[in-house]
């Protein structure tokens, strides 16, 4: 089976379409695993939900998915993110609201647990250091865990017979071969990358070969930025897409 692992689409339809085009170019996939934050920040929340729902997929809830519904307090977001959450909520119809409201916090798919932020605190916790990742290994039962939220591709690998873990790179240059050690893997973000590379990021998991391949895809950043400007979304959110921060 082949699974596409995507996260943090963030209402960026141009990026999402480019990723889907790229996925289809790599051969057929059986299912999409989406790690949350379908909406927020970008200009096309409704369209991104509709497009994802055309595919066989599972998806967990992200902080922006709940933020758009005001299911969590918008004071917990920075002012620009909160403004985008409010605007996003106004674009959604009852069907999209219902879909986002019913996303689970975590899911198990075979050897993988899926969570947006972390398995310990799925909505808000960022896994950016080995310190926080180390604690997270106690909070899922499967061998592997997939997370998003930071928009930074990464692999945290737990050392065998140890509580310690180390940070490894997830890069398109080399496949990640799943071995004996437990791992927490972040595929990076589709719609708002933050690792200094503005291209959309995603990964493909091939269960037969036990391999995860990372991919980066250029997309029409300008098209997304123009729509965001037209809809009056915060300028910092528009600018950052050019640089991937
Ligand atoms: Zn996000």
């Amino acid at each position: 089976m082949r699974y596409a692992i995507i996260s943090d689409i963030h209402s960026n339809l141009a990026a999402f379409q480019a990723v889907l085009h790229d996925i289809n170019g790599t051969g057929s996939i059986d299912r999409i695993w989406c790690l949350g934050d379908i909406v927020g920040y970008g200009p096309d929340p409704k369209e991104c939900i509709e497009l994802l729902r055309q595919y066989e997929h599972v998806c967990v809830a992200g902080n922006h998915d709940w933020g758009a519904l005001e299911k969590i307090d918008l004071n917990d977001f920075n002012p620009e993110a909160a403004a985008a959450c409010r605007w996003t909520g106004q674009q959604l119809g009852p069907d999209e609201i219902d879909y986002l409201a019913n996303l689970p916090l975590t899911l198990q798919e075979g050897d993988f647990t899926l969570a947006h932020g972390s398995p310990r605190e799925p909505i808000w916790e960022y896994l950016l250091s080995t310190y926080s990742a180390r604690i997270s290994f106690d909070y899922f039962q499967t061998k592997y865990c997939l997370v998003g939220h930071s928009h930074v591709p990464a692999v945290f690998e737990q050392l065998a017979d140890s509580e310690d873990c180390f940070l490894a790179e997830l890069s398109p240059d080399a496949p990640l071969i799943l071995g004996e050690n437990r791992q927490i893997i972040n595929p990076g973000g589709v719609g708002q990358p933050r690792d200094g590379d503005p291209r959309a990021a995603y990964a493909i998991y091939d269960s037969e070969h036990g391999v995860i391949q990372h991919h980066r895809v250029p997309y029409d950043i300008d098209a997304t930025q123009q729509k965001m400007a037209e809809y009056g979304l915060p300028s910092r959110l528009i600018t950052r897409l050019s640089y991937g921060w």
Side-chain angles (χ1 to χ4, degrees):
M1 303 273 270
R2 293 176 84 247
Y3 303 86
I5 306 167
I6 61 174
S7 191
D8 297 279
I9 298 165
H10 281 301
S11 305
N12 189 339
L13 185 65
F16 189 24
Q17 285 172 329
V19 161
L20 289 169
H21 183 77
D22 200 65
I23 289 170
N24 292 327
T26 68
S28 67
I29 53 150
D30 296 286
R31 184 174 261 200
I32 292 175
W33 288 346
C34 177
L35 306 173
D37 278 3
I38 306 168
V39 302
Y41 295 134
D44 297 303
K46 201 177 155 94
E47 292 78 3
C48 287
I49 296 170
E50 279 171 2
L51 184 54
L52 178 62
R53 292 179 77 184
Q54 287 172 25
Y55 287 80
E56 171 75 24
H57 77 285
V58 292
C59 184
V60 290
N63 53 318
H64 285 260
D65 302 318
W66 280 14
L69 309 180
E70 304 207 29
K71 197 169 164 169
I72 40 176
D73 192 344
L74 292 186
N75 291 318
D76 291 339
F77 288 83
N78 70 56
E80 286 145 346
C85 279
R86 274 188 209 97
W87 179 87
T88 300
Q90 291 159 7
Q91 315 308 313
L92 302 176
D95 206 32
E96 292 87 48
I97 290 171
D98 195 52
Y99 173 81
L100 293 181
N102 287 300
L103 292 175
L105 283 173
T106 61
L107 280 170
Q108 277 191 27
E109 291 276 303
D111 286 338
F112 292 81
T113 296
L114 279 56
H116 179 63
S118 81
R120 179 170 66 151
E121 213 295 279
I123 289 292
W124 277 117
E125 186 180 25
Y126 287 92
L127 295 188
L128 285 164
S129 69
T130 51
Y131 177 76
S132 47
R134 186 176 186 266
I135 299 163
S136 287
F137 279 101
D138 290 338
Y139 287 82
F140 63 99
Q141 311 303 321
T142 53
K143 192 161 177 188
Y144 309 108
C145 180
L146 300 171
V147 297
H149 195 41
S150 70
H151 309 192
V152 176
V155 180
F156 297 97
E157 181 165 334
Q158 194 176 40
L159 297 165
D161 306 317
S162 160
E163 299 270 282
D164 275 336
C165 76
F166 65 92
L167 177 60
E169 209 190 344
L170 184 65
S171 148
D173 300 334
L176 174 69
I177 296 156
L178 300 175
E180 280 310 303
N181 292 346
R182 298 180 79 209
Q183 291 173 322
I184 300 172
I185 300 149
N186 188 324
V190 170
Q192 193 201 73
R194 291 183 190 163
D195 61 338
D197 182 342
R199 294 176 300 167
Y202 77 96
I204 296 277
Y205 167 52
D206 178 338
S207 64
E208 192 190 335
H209 298 100
V211 166
I212 290 179
Q213 177 64 52
H214 196 228
H215 294 269
R216 296 309 284 251
V217 190
Y219 73 94
D220 191 347
I221 295 174
D222 216 40
T224 297
Q225 290 174 319
Q226 278 180 24
K227 279 194 220 170
M228 290 172 76
E230 195 182 312
Y231 301 152
L233 286 160
S235 61
R236 234 172 69 93
L237 299 180
I238 300 174
T239 307
R240 69 186 302 171
L241 294 178
S242 301
Y243 303 97
W245 49 263

